[in-house]
Amino acid sequence: MDVNAAVAAAAAIAGLLTGVIAVLTFRWSEREQARPTRSSMRPDVNAVLPPGVDTVLSVLRSSAVVLDESDSVVKASSAAYALGLVRGGKLAVDPMLHMARDTRRDGEIRQVELDLPRRGTGRGEALAVSARVAPLGSRLVLLLVEDLTEARRIEAVRRDFVANVSHELKTPTGALSLLSEAVMDASDDPEAVTRFAGRMQIEATRLTNLVQELIDLSRVQNDDPLEDAEPVRVDELVAEAMDRSRHAASTKNITMASGGTEGLHVWGHRGQLAAALGNLVENAVNYSPARTRVGIAGRRISAPGGDLIEIAVTDQGIGISEKDRERVFERFYRVDPARSRATGGTGLGLAIVKHVAASHGGEVTVWSSEGQGSTFTLRLPEAAAARDRSSVARPHGVNESAHDAGPYETTDREPIPHPEVLP
């Protein structure tokens, strides 16, 4: 009898505990459902917002925040959280909060541009935003925020580009103006006229080259090279690049040697690829001292997304310092301004190479040692269909354009000339 009573008591206690747990679980579930979320800060949001506003805010590209009369967030878009505008159900940016209060008080629409710190970064970069506050009904205030950071960056790049172009155009045009005056003043001196006319021709050529490279840069930035893409033989690109710089090389007694694997093909716009490789070879010749060598070699390398064609241009010139190496692909940047003026360089050649490589799904890199030379490496996706038809590879083959040259090799770290090529 005592045992039965004990069992009954235990069952009653267990039932009571089960009931208590069930009640607590139900209350906890209700509290979780009432907790604010990023998509809806209140369970009755649709009842608070005017009809249709919730749908309109969900399709806006701007970050949207709706505040009530107590400055609590009624609704906020996910973009508002990503920008760090809302934290803990409150608007976290004080200037915007003050704007919202002023608008609630007088009903006036307000707009301001602010620089906000980035969330989750230790850098001092600022986030540029434009905030617009407007009344939404009689109780609510709507805040719309546009991220202007990328637009500001593009505008800064545009201003720098325009300033650089203006400066570069001003130099040869100013020189032409002064030289024309000098020619007029020296009309009775045939030797002086001839000398000044020669200088005018040099400045006119520099101006023509600058305008042409500006056109080329604009073209590679705006055009889609894959629209007119075709398999392009690397051998033909190398031969064309060497022909472009043959006169300048012969003037300085520089030997140009081509080698590497034969029968390679890349997929892309032939004109842009020829211009890019031609710029690399031309730079190698211009920045090399007399009686040195410039080598161009191509090879196939394996990559996770498919084989790449690597074209390396190596010179024995002045080299590039480490601090300059990071900036050589910037527009109008010159490692040696004095030498650029002497050779007619515009500072746009490597920028064009970088854009062509990127638009073709490749890249361009540089290895250099001061006083020893530089190697610029252009990597481009291989034309797979053309590879099946290509001839058998001939490693380390050499095609001389001047004197006898030694073999030209590449390594996995960076392409370098074979020791026999070095002086």
Side-chain angles (χ1 to χ4, degrees), residues 50-126:
V53 173
D54 187 29
T55 303
V56 173
L57 295 181
S58 64
V59 298
L60 286 177
R61 300 181 63 180
S62 305
S63 302
V65 180
V66 179
L67 304 176
D68 62 11
E69 63 273 10
S70 62
D71 292 333
S72 297
V73 176
V74 175
K75 183 175 180 62
S77 63
S78 58
Y81 285 92
L83 292 178
L85 304 180
V86 178
R87 298 176 188 172
K90 295 289 185 180
L91 187 61
V93 183
D94 288 338
M96 296 182 187
L97 185 59
H98 295 325
M99 286 175 57
R101 290 171 179 171
D102 294 339
T103 296
R104 186 185 300 111
R105 184 180 63 253
D106 56 23
E108 295 290 334
I109 298 176
R110 289 175 168 82
Q111 184 169 351
V112 67
E113 292 189 1
L114 301 170
D115 292 332
L116 306 179
R118 289 183 182 269
R119 294 184 61 188
T121 62
R123 297 171 296 178
E125 298 179 355

Side-chain angles (χ1 to χ4, degrees), residues 31-264:
R31 188 180 302 111
E32 285 297 310
Q33 291 179 2
R35 180 174 295 178
T37 63
R38 290 190 174 187
S39 61
S40 176
M41 296 304 299
R42 289 186 176 183
D44 60 343
V45 60
N46 292 324
V48 174
L49 291 177
V53 173
D54 187 29
T55 303
V56 173
L57 295 181
S58 64
V59 298
L60 286 177
R61 300 181 63 180
S62 305
S63 302
V65 180
V66 179
L67 304 176
D68 62 11
E69 63 273 10
S70 62
D71 292 333
S72 297
V73 176
V74 175
K75 183 175 180 62
S77 63
S78 58
Y81 285 92
L83 292 178
L85 304 180
V86 178
R87 298 176 188 172
K90 295 289 185 180
L91 187 61
V93 183
D94 288 338
M96 296 182 187
L97 185 59
H98 295 325
M99 286 175 57
R101 290 171 179 171
D102 294 339
T103 296
R104 186 185 300 111
R105 184 180 63 253
D106 56 23
E108 295 290 334
I109 298 176
R110 289 175 168 82
Q111 184 169 351
V112 67
E113 292 189 1
L114 301 170
D115 292 332
L116 306 179
R118 289 183 182 269
R119 294 184 61 188
T121 62
R123 297 171 296 178
E125 298 179 355
L127 193 69
V129 299
S130 174
R132 185 178 179 86
V133 181
L136 187 63
S138 58
R139 299 169 48 197
L140 306 179
V141 173
L142 172 63
L143 172 67
L144 296 177
V145 180
E146 292 278 354
D147 187 356
L148 304 178
T149 307
E150 183 65 14
R152 289 266 189 93
R153 186 191 68 81
I154 293 175
E155 178 63 19
V157 171
R158 187 192 66 82
R159 285 198 307 268
D160 291 343
F161 181 72
V162 171
N164 287 331
V165 169
S166 301
H167 174 74
E168 295 297 331
L169 290 174
K170 182 179 178 180
T171 301
T173 53
L176 287 172
S177 177
L178 293 175
L179 288 169
S180 64
E181 292 179 4
V183 169
M184 293 177 63
D185 294 339
S187 57
D188 296 332
D189 187 351
E191 293 184 3
V193 170
T194 302
R195 185 172 67 255
F196 291 142
R199 289 295 306 168
M200 291 177 68
Q201 188 175 12
I202 293 174
E203 296 298 334
T205 301
R206 179 178 300 176
L207 182 60
T208 302
N209 293 338
L210 175 58
V211 172
Q212 184 59 51
E213 291 203 343
L214 286 172
I215 294 173
D216 293 340
L217 180 60
S218 175
R219 188 170 295 160
V220 300
Q221 286 180 318
N222 297 327
D223 292 350
D224 182 4
L226 300 184
E227 289 184 357
D228 301 321
E230 59 179 337
V232 181
R233 288 181 57 88
V234 174
D235 296 339
E236 294 177 357
L237 294 178
V238 172
E240 186 173 337
M242 294 173 65
D243 287 340
R244 172 175 165 178
S245 299
R246 193 177 304 279
H247 176 71
S250 62
T251 301
K252 300 171 66 175
N253 198 24
I254 292 176
T255 300
M256 291 190 294
S258 65
T261 305
E262 290 185 340
L264 300 177

Side-chain angles (χ1 to χ4, degrees), residues 265 327 355 370:
H265 290 75
R327 302 189 58 189
H355 281 287
E370 289 188 83

Side-chain angles (χ1 to χ4, degrees), residues 17 51 56 156 337 360 366 385 421 423:
L17 290 175
V56 173
H360 283 75
V366 58
V421 179

